[in-house]
Amino acid sequence: MDPRRILKRRTVSVFASIRDFTELKRLDLEMRKQAHVLAERVKDLSCLYAISKLIERPGVSFEEIARDTMALIPPGWQYPEITCRLK
């Protein structure tokens, strides 16, 4: 059968949508990086705040401040699982 005759009898519609998600993926990656950086800054500030609270305690000795500070620092670092302190 002749293809022109088939097309005359039927309506053929084709809809297509093409989107480029490259820019969205780049922005998502950048946002994730910035979220990681901000989370690390929150850990830094939380550690510093906790140390400041140690120092403000009345009657606390230098040794106690030093010991408790050494316990607070590793979780405040970026890679606490590889952080250690010498005894």
Side-chain angles (χ1 to χ4, degrees), residues 24-72:
L24 287 175
K25 286 186 177 190
R26 187 191 66 76
L27 290 172
D28 181 59
L29 180 61
E30 183 63 31
M31 185 180 69
R32 288 174 190 266
K33 286 179 184 178
Q34 290 301 318
H36 175 75
V37 168
L38 289 173
E40 291 304 314
R41 295 303 69 82
V42 167
K43 283 180 11 181
D44 294 344
L45 292 172
S46 297
C47 181
L48 290 172
Y49 179 74
I51 292 170
S52 74
K53 287 298 181 188
L54 286 175
I55 295 168
E56 291 174 359
R57 288 191 321 212
V60 66
S61 70
F62 176 76
E63 289 79 17
E64 290 174 298
I65 292 172
R67 182 194 65 230
D68 293 348
T69 298
M70 291 299 114
L72 288 169

